[in-house]
Amino acid sequence: MAMSRRTFYMITGTAALGLALGGSGEVRAAMSAALSAPTGPPPDTPRADGRTHTVGFDRYSMLVDGRRVVLWSGEMHPFRLPSPSLWRDVLQKLRGHGYNTVSVYVAWNFHSAAPGHHDFTGVRDLGLFLRTAAETGLYVTLRPGPYINAEVDAGGFPGWLTATPGTARTSDPTYLAYVDEWLTAVNRIAVRHQYTEGGGTIVLYQLENEYANHVTEATGRAYMAHLYTKVRADGIDVPLFHNDKGRNGYWAPGTFDTGGEKGRWLYGFDGYPSPLRPPPDWGYFGPGGTTGGSTASPGTPGFLAEFGGGWFDPWGGVEFGGKGYAESRRTRDAAYERRFHLTNLANGIRIHNVYMAFGGTSWGWLPAPVVYTSYDYGAALDEARQPTAKLVPMHQLGHLLQTVPDLAELDRAEDVDVGGGSALKAYHLVNPDTEAHVYVLRNDLAGEAEAVVPIAGDTVRVPVPGLDARLLAAGISLGRRILRYSSAQPMLRLAVGRQDIAVFTGRSGEATTTVLECAREPGVTVLEGDAAHAYADGALRLDVRLGGLVRVLVEGGGVARPLLLLLADDETSVRLWPHHTPVGPFLVYGPALLRTAERHGTTARLTGDTVDAADLEVWAPPGVTEVVWNGARVPTRVTPSGSLRATRRLPGAAPVRLPALTGWRRKAENPEAAVGFDDSAWRTADRTSSYATTPVPVGQPVLFADDYGFHYGDVWYRGRFEDAAGAEAVSLSYVTGTQGLLMAWLDGKPLGTHRMPVPDTKTVRKGTWSATATFPIAPGAAPHVLSVLVRRMQHDEDGGANDSHKAGRGLVFVAFEGASPAVRWRIQGEAGPDPVRGPLNNGGLYGERHGWHLPGFPDGDWEAVRLPRAERGQGVVWYRTRFRLAVDPGTDASIGLTLTDDPARAYRVQIFLNGWNMGQYVNDVGPQHTFVLPNGVLDTRGPNTLALAVLADGTTPSGPDGVELTLLARAAGGVPVTPVDSPGFPGAGW
């Protein structure tokens, strides 16, 4: 006879017990717990469907329309990918690889060039991003700050805020007035995209970000209460939360005034554990209490608002030994992802956001001082939008959590001894409703260990690779049949067409055992692969050696609906693509990516990508007899697996040929250094007080660039003085971000360059640097002009809520040795914000102020030159060229620009593609050499203009030397791309 769930539960010998969230060891009967929602099917794929929905939570999970859902989320930032067409590409890749939620920062500085001005057009179109997420079928967690940190300039605060009164991140009324304007602008968009009203898919909204200061002070509590009241008054009605900076219990429910509203606030926390240490227990199995992670709020689901999917790298690359993000990805690889994410799952985390899932690019002057241009982060999707091996466990776990509802509601169960000595740690959990069991087996040593797990009266032997983990399930439903246990890891279950489908995964070559409860002996057909089967005592045992895709069809035995078991090795599993639609799910096997799947009558219309030639196989809703792939009909045949299989392979990507970069033109700039330069239109630096946290020296004018309205990029100073007789040296005190520098000229002659040191392990987090540059001088006859260029390297973040973003930037004071002339200063920085590219694109170089970076600039009178170059001199030289691409229309090519040179050469390059400031290359610091050129900014089927602004200190020959286009990846498929500067693009124009 069939084993009932109750019988199964008894055989395990683990009386249905769970431990209190506090982890104290107090035992309670799990079945007596009051459940607000039973385990059942997850909610439908979210869409902007125009219908009202309920969004809430209990202590286990989020509840959408009364049904449990685990939010398996990935972080991406639209402002780090300035091509809205590619937002859809990344979002579709996230959904395809198992994520059901995208978490999104909204950067105030990206949208606001001046107080009261908020621009949500063009590349800043938040509404477009939210619509695209809804069309993709992803929930959204919106995080608009006002402070976001995120390794962006000033932590997301706009540059103009650095020159205003009021203490940020407190209840200061001046600051709050600006915050209210910002939130009004964001929320006017957000309310239209809430899932509760059916206009979009926002289900969570964050207040502030890692606010770990002023927690016990009235100003901090009043600040959080103000944000809560403001957001609710603006019409945001989804649950709100804050992300604790660590596990401190800060801002848990009940710690500040929410205006009497209860049950609508979640506690979330962040965690970035080292890959060199065992994964921490931040929940059921941890120390408990207010500092135990999710145990700080036992009435709300475990919520990791940020969990490290990598880490950022500083200038010089000391974080990863100069190897850059490739090393981050190596140290936080797929095994790391499995070991740490499965530990989180075992600890009750049911809202899980990976930071970053796609890092992107901190282009222009967006990066905070502590990072360079690339924000690849070692993420599972790299900066060029390409999937990496790290996506394998995310793909498997994401689809598992979306299709096996038992995992949305788990309690801690009795500990089990699995052997393995000190290598293995076992977590045992049980669903109090269905009595399904989950085991997480973790190996914290380098060598493989074997776990011996007692399940259902049997002994299951499971190899666990070194520094890796496995998940086993027992008692879960596979549709009409029940899984007694499997030594393979479940990945998904679907009811497709007229059969149930279940997928299990593991390493290639691994021997696995899967046991199904069967009242009577079923019919078993091994359709493909190495599998043996036997039936005894109400159970069907399948022994399968994994390799490719093993297929076993189970029919009859008292169950009307067939079960197709697909057992895939890890590499094969990421070619299995479930896709849920209103008419039922699809399962597609073969291509590199499935983007969309729709049923049109008897036709399945699919879109997706291939890299190499690929098979295509489709399990579709009933009645589908034809398949169209990327608009072309694909001949198919029906298989014994119940699928439609293409009779010929899908073609791979066409070749991509990149031109050599030739035809360069050169022009030197910095006329500002010349004595006769006309600076009459520049701002007079005559202020006597500043809101900067950097003190203004007594008797000196304010020289900080922000006080004169210049917030981004380079800034020029020209000081006039007369009585300098006897002067022997001049000292220039200045403040910048990491890797800032100063260049000086006296009466048109170079004095020299000073630069901040490269960060080491002790200063890697230092965002504000100050120094004094002293140069010998021998001034001739008066009057004199002292010209100074400062590369500021942006504002510090305000992670300590101490106004550190207001630290001065630029000159602080000038002093002379042997004389005391009075200096009259003028200052010039960036011109007005670029209406297309925004305020963060341009700095204050002469060429930027006069459009030398723009595609249409007439450079016909510039000197024709060839690369490589070897010039010596202090200052700025520009190089421009044009090139044309002809990438096949059906090919998505990811292209970068690579610069190489002798690392002893001291110079840096600002890279402009079609007017877009794509980042900064520092030749003698690194570690970045390749800069991603996103399609849309890059015209892959037309002309492009590349401009390089080379800033050299004159101590060595400067390049550029090697400058070439690099093919980073290619795929057949992709998404339609609209050039961001085309006439049809919203906000285009200069």
Side-chain angles (χ1 to χ4, degrees):
M1 63 181 283
M3 178 184 294
S4 71
R5 292 190 177 214
R6 176 64 61 185
T7 304
F8 162 79
Y9 192 66
M10 295 294 291
I11 289 176
T12 65
T14 62
L17 301 177
L19 296 184
L21 280 173
S24 65
E26 179 182 351
V27 180
R28 64 167 177 78
M31 291 305 291
S32 67
L35 302 179
S36 59
T39 297
D44 296 334
T45 300
R47 303 282 183 186
D49 55 15
R51 297 182 293 179
T52 59
H53 298 272
T54 61
V55 179
F57 55 87
D58 64 7
R59 76 177 187 88
Y60 287 110
S61 71
M62 292 290 292
L63 300 170
V64 174
D65 293 332
R67 291 192 275 177
R68 296 198 178 282
V69 60
V70 176
L71 296 189
W72 194 248
S73 171
E75 184 91 12
M76 76 163 291
H77 301 151
F79 53 83
R80 282 190 160 111
L81 184 57
S83 177
S85 299
L86 297 184
W87 298 345
R88 186 179 301 275
D89 173 71
V90 172
L91 292 172
Q92 288 179 342
K93 286 172 178 171
L94 292 180
R95 186 191 177 193
H97 283 290
Y99 297 93
N100 64 355
T101 308
V102 61
S103 177
V104 186
Y105 273 139
V106 188
W108 190 356
N109 58 3
F110 186 55
H111 296 274
S112 181
H117 176 77
H118 304 100
D119 184 357
F120 289 92
T121 64
V123 297
R124 295 165 296 280
D125 192 340
L126 176 62
L128 174 60
F129 180 87
L130 296 173
R131 289 194 300 274
T132 306
E135 290 165 2
T136 308
L138 292 169
Y139 295 111
V140 174
T141 297
L142 194 68
R143 308 207 289 163
Y147 179 78
I148 64 171
N149 206 71
E151 289 74 61
V152 296
D153 177 63
F157 284 152
W160 55 262
L161 193 70
T162 65
T164 61
T167 304
R169 309 186 76 187
T170 70
S171 58
D172 183 288
T174 302
Y175 167 72
L176 289 183
Y178 292 127
V179 166
D180 285 352
E181 288 182 342
W182 164 242
L183 292 178
T184 296
V186 173
N187 293 340
R188 186 179 296 120
I189 297 168
V191 293
R192 301 197 301 267
H193 295 273
Q194 296 184 102
Y195 196 48
T196 46
E197 299 299 323
T201 54
I202 296 173
V203 292
L204 289 172
Y205 182 110
Q206 179 177 305
L207 300 185
E208 247 286 343
N209 186 80
E210 296 180 333
Y211 188 47
N213 304 83
H214 312 302
V215 175
T216 61
E217 302 168 25
T219 187
R221 293 194 300 271
Y223 175 42
M224 290 295 286
H226 177 93
L227 295 178
Y228 195 104
T229 300
K230 167 62 179 170
V231 167
R232 286 297 190 225
D234 284 347
I236 302 298
D237 62 6
V238 298
L240 307 179
F241 73 98
H242 171 267
N243 60 325
D244 192 357
K245 189 177 183 178
R247 277 75 47 209
N248 308 294
Y250 295 159
W251 312 117
T255 57
F256 70 100
D257 183 10
T258 57
E261 185 176 65
K262 298 182 182 298
R264 303 288 290 162
W265 174 259
L266 294 113
Y267 171 73
F269 61 96
D270 293 353
Y272 291 86
S274 167
L276 303 179
R277 297 179 181 177
D281 290 317
W282 288 332
Y284 291 152
F285 292 84
T290 57
T291 60
S294 61
T295 56
S297 180
T300 61
F303 186 178
L304 256 171
E306 292 181 22
F307 187 82
W311 191 248
F312 60 85
D313 200 25
W315 286 105
V318 67
E319 189 72 48
F320 299 111
K323 299 177 182 178
Y325 285 115
E327 183 69 2
S328 173
R329 193 168 284 111
R330 186 191 70 79
T331 56
R332 293 167 173 83
D333 60 3
Y336 167 91
E337 300 260 359
R338 263 190 300 271
R339 197 160 58 111
F340 282 73
H341 296 325
L342 284 175
T343 298
N344 292 338
L345 181 64
N347 271 273
I349 305 302
R350 299 295 176 268
I351 308 174
H352 190 292
N353 181 50
V354 178
Y355 188 107
M356 301 290 295
F358 167 75
T361 305
S362 296
W363 56 279
W365 296 106
L366 180 66
V370 293
V371 292
Y372 48 89
T373 297
S374 175
Y375 200 67
D376 177 279
Y377 216 81
L381 278 176
D382 70 18
E383 188 181 1
R385 301 176 287 112
Q386 300 309 304
T388 69
K390 289 180 61 166
L391 268 173
V392 172
M394 299 307 295
H395 185 97
Q396 295 170 348
L397 290 173
H399 290 305
L400 171 68
L401 293 170
Q402 290 183 57
T403 60
V404 179
D406 307 72
L407 277 70
E409 183 184 350
L410 293 173
D411 286 319
R412 183 173 178 176
E414 185 176 275
D415 290 343
V416 293
D417 182 3
V418 299
S422 61
L424 291 179
K425 181 167 184 176
Y427 300 86
H428 181 199
L429 302 113
V430 63
N431 182 298
D433 186 24
T434 67
E435 302 176 5
H437 288 241
V438 171
Y439 302 82
V440 170
L441 311 174
R442 198 182 77 210
N443 185 350
D444 289 332
L445 297 183
E448 182 172 298
E450 184 179 67
V452 181
V453 189
I455 304 178
D458 204 348
T459 299
V460 183
R461 296 183 177 274
V462 183
V464 184
L467 300 176
D468 210 328
R470 300 286 298 273
L471 180 146
L472 308 185
I476 64 173
S477 166
L478 302 182
R480 302 291 178 86
R481 300 178 189 271
I482 300 298
L483 173 73
R484 184 172 291 186
Y485 67 82
S486 178
S487 65
Q489 182 168 300
M491 175 175 144
L492 62 84
R493 69 164 204 195
L494 297 170
V496 184
R498 295 178 175 83
Q499 65 182 351
D500 295 322
I501 300 177
V503 178
F504 292 82
T505 65
R507 291 179 298 166
S508 180
E510 181 180 337
T512 67
T513 298
T514 301
V515 179
L516 304 178
E517 293 185 15
C518 297
R520 299 195 301 273
E521 182 172 4
V524 179
T525 307
V526 178
L527 300 173
E528 184 177 345
D530 182 5
H533 59 89
Y535 177 80
D537 301 326
L540 173 67
R541 174 181 173 126
L542 299 166
D543 293 307
V544 174
R545 185 168 298 278
L546 298 181
L549 191 63
V550 178
R551 307 163 189 246
V552 179
L553 183 64
V554 181
E555 300 174 284
V559 178
R561 190 175 178 86
L563 171 65
L564 177 65
L565 285 171
L566 302 176
L567 295 102
D569 59 33
D570 287 338
E571 182 178 357
T572 303
S573 73
V574 289
R575 294 294 178 263
L576 282 163
W577 306 99
H579 196 91
H580 301 269
T581 76
V583 297
F586 287 77
L587 181 63
V588 174
Y589 171 56
L593 175 68
L594 177 70
R595 295 182 180 274
T596 64
E598 297 176 345
R599 174 182 169 177
H600 292 258
T602 60
T603 302
R605 294 188 176 274
L606 313 176
T607 66
D609 295 357
T610 58
V611 177
D612 302 314
D615 295 326
L616 177 66
E617 188 170 359
V618 183
W619 288 268
V624 171
T625 58
E626 295 184 331
V627 175
V628 170
W629 174 261
N630 287 344
R633 185 179 177 278
V634 178
T636 61
R637 61 179 177 83
V638 178
T639 74
S641 299
S643 63
L644 296 173
R645 182 181 292 179
T647 57
R648 61 171 180 261
R649 306 192 83 193
L650 301 175
V656 175
R657 296 177 176 84
L658 301 178
L661 297 176
T662 59
W664 291 95
R665 292 187 174 273
R666 172 195 179 277
K667 187 175 181 65
E669 59 142 277
N670 45 276
E672 300 93 339
V675 173
F677 179 79
D678 182 7
D679 60 16
S680 60
W682 288 20
R683 296 286 304 273
T684 300
D686 56 2
R687 292 176 178 258
T688 58
S689 63
S690 172
Y691 296 113
T693 56
T694 304
V696 179
V698 176
Q700 292 275 351
V702 174
L703 296 177
F704 307 135
D706 290 294
D707 288 84
Y708 298 97
F710 305 121
H711 306 301
Y712 304 112
D714 300 291
V715 61
W716 274 98
Y717 298 86
R718 282 173 57 88
R720 300 180 184 275
F721 59 96
E722 296 178 357
D723 186 11
E728 298 177 355
V730 60
S731 295
L732 299 164
S733 176
Y734 72 114
V735 182
T736 71
T738 309
Q739 275 299 286
L741 62 75
L742 172 149
M743 292 180 173
W745 293 258
L746 180 61
D747 299 335
K749 297 180 180 179
L751 293 179
T753 297
H754 185 280
R755 57 193 289 183
M756 301 298 181
V758 179
D760 57 22
T761 54
K762 295 181 179 179
T763 58
V764 70
R765 299 290 175 262
K766 184 177 178 180
T768 293
W769 300 67
S770 60
T772 299
T774 300
F775 304 109
I777 61 172
H784 301 289
V785 177
L786 179 62
S787 300
V788 181
L789 174 64
V790 179
R791 177 150 289 186
R792 296 175 292 173
M793 301 300 285
Q794 294 316 94
H795 307 91
D796 200 358
E797 297 170 290
D798 192 24
N802 57 5
D803 268 357
S804 56
H805 65 293
K806 291 185 177 180
R809 288 295 185 263
L811 282 180
V812 180
F813 70 86
V814 60
F816 292 84
E817 182 180 334
S820 300
V823 183
R824 304 176 302 279
W825 289 102
R826 289 183 180 272
I827 183 173
Q828 177 64 56
E830 72 274 19
D834 184 314
V836 174
R837 301 164 184 89
L840 295 159
N841 194 71
N842 298 346
L845 294 179
Y846 183 89
E848 291 176 286
R849 303 196 312 267
H850 291 81
W852 293 10
H853 60 299
L854 295 173
F857 180 80
D859 58 10
D861 61 345
W862 288 22
E863 176 189 7
V865 297
R866 293 182 178 179
L867 301 186
R869 304 293 293 176
E871 302 185 15
R872 186 185 293 269
Q874 176 179 292
V876 182
V877 178
W878 285 72
Y879 298 87
R880 285 172 55 96
T881 189
R882 296 175 178 83
F883 62 92
R884 180 177 288 273
L885 297 177
V887 177
D888 183 87
T891 300
D892 177 13
S894 295
I895 297 171
L897 183 75
T898 299
L899 293 88
T900 55
D901 206 342
D902 179 348
R905 291 185 171 193
Y907 70 93
R908 54 187 69 189
V909 180
Q910 209 67 31
I911 301 165
F912 293 91
L913 174 69
N914 296 327
W916 290 82
N917 182 345
M918 295 314 304
Q920 182 175 188
Y921 168 75
V922 183
N923 182 68
D924 57 337
V925 174
Q928 185 174 5
H929 286 272
T930 296
F931 295 76
V932 174
L933 309 176
N935 300 344
V937 174
L938 178 71
D939 189 341
T940 60
R941 288 181 283 279
N944 296 274
T945 299
L946 180 65
L948 306 178
V950 179
L951 180 64
D953 65 13
T955 62
T956 67
S958 66
D961 190 318
V963 181
E964 62 182 7
L965 298 173
T966 304
L967 182 64
L968 304 175
R970 61 189 175 92
V975 296
V977 176
T978 301
V980 292
D981 293 328
S982 70
F985 184 79
W990 168 254

